[in-house]
Amino acid sequence: MIYISKGIVQEKSTERNIYVGRGGQVFQLTKVEAQLWLAGKFGFYETKNSSQERAIEHLYRMGLVEYESEDTLVARYRILTRCVLCAATNSNLSPVTGRFEASILNWLTKAGIRLSMAELVYLHERQIKATEELLYVDNRQKLVETIYTKENIFDNILECQMEHAACRDKVTAAVMVLLKNKKIVIL
């Protein structure tokens, strides 16, 4: 089983007690759950045994992780489609490692809406540039109309379509670089 953690560590956390904020709630994690949540904070992590899997299932019920039973590139994409990707507050302080990662971060920081993983893949699959007429709150309707058409407006159709996109793995890898470099957070 692989998983990724969701939420933000709260300031009152200590080595023994991790407090994680997500969705307006704060959860206290101790022992195994705290260790597992921290292991998946900046990337995918694979469980080692059935007791860890039970702990991950409990964290999942709390809304603090997303997981898949096997570690494949498709599974990693699917996990990220169930997460909210947000630019970190410090995302503009230091340069990003590559141009592609910078492009993803630019979309996440300036889109005017919270872009999903599938929407990011769609934008890069169609080579849609982050231009002024698609960025910021005033232009979010234009961006939505650019992404969603009569072919993909139905529930979860875009996620399924982008699962087969040629750039899916490249976008997934770029998102993971941004997460590891603390440029984004996953909620």
Side-chain angles (χ1 to χ4, degrees):
M1 168 187 293
I2 65 160
Y3 69 94
I4 200 160
S5 300
K6 303 189 305 186
I8 300 172
V9 174
Q10 302 297 293
E11 287 183 23
K12 62 182 176 180
S13 295
T14 65
E15 287 182 24
R16 291 179 169 245
N17 294 305
I18 304 294
Y19 293 90
V20 178
R22 182 169 183 277
Q25 294 182 301
V26 176
F27 301 90
Q28 180 182 0
L29 305 178
T30 59
K31 299 180 184 174
V32 174
E33 287 181 346
Q35 291 171 348
L36 290 171
W37 188 89
L38 288 170
K41 182 178 177 197
F42 295 112
F44 292 104
Y45 192 78
E46 190 167 353
T47 57
K48 309 287 188 242
N49 54 49
S50 60
S51 68
Q52 286 185 351
E53 288 179 5
R54 284 190 302 276
I56 290 301
E57 288 168 354
H58 183 253
L59 289 170
Y60 171 78
R61 287 189 299 274
M62 294 179 359
L64 297 178
V65 298
E66 290 293 338
Y67 72 90
E68 286 282 327
S69 58
E70 55 187 70
D71 186 1
T72 65
L73 295 172
V74 172
R76 290 172 180 239
Y77 165 79
R78 287 178 182 162
I79 288 170
L80 290 174
T81 63
R82 297 187 302 263
C83 298
V84 178
L85 311 173
C86 301
T89 55
N90 67 345
S91 62
N92 293 326
L93 297 180
S94 60
V96 179
T97 55
R99 275 185 32 218
F100 193 72
E101 289 86 4
S103 172
I104 298 285
L105 187 60
N106 190 42
W107 276 114
L108 288 172
T109 56
K110 298 178 182 173
I113 59 173
R114 296 236 190 259
L115 291 171
S116 70
M117 184 65 184
E119 291 165 342
L120 286 170
V121 172
Y122 181 89
L123 291 167
H124 285 86
E125 180 76 4
R126 300 287 192 275
Q127 298 178 354
I128 298 169
K129 302 293 182 207
T131 58
E132 287 292 321
E133 62 265 5
L134 295 176
L135 298 176
Y136 308 109
V137 174
D138 291 344
N139 299 317
R140 65 178 144 199
Q141 184 63 35
K142 176 74 171 155
L143 177 58
V144 169
E145 291 171 0
T146 299
I147 296 171
Y148 290 98
T149 66
K150 62 183 177 184
E151 288 83 31
N152 66 11
I153 194 69
F154 306 105
D155 287 343
N156 296 325
I157 295 297
L158 185 65
E159 288 81 1
C160 293
Q161 288 174 342
M162 294 303 103
E163 189 172 294
H164 304 287
C167 71
R168 178 202 69 207
D169 297 339
K170 185 176 180 182
V171 174
T172 300
V175 166
M176 297 315 297
V177 167
L178 293 171
L179 180 64
K180 185 176 181 179
N181 290 323
K182 301 178 183 173
K183 298 294 184 185
I184 64 171
V185 294
I186 293 182
L187 302 176

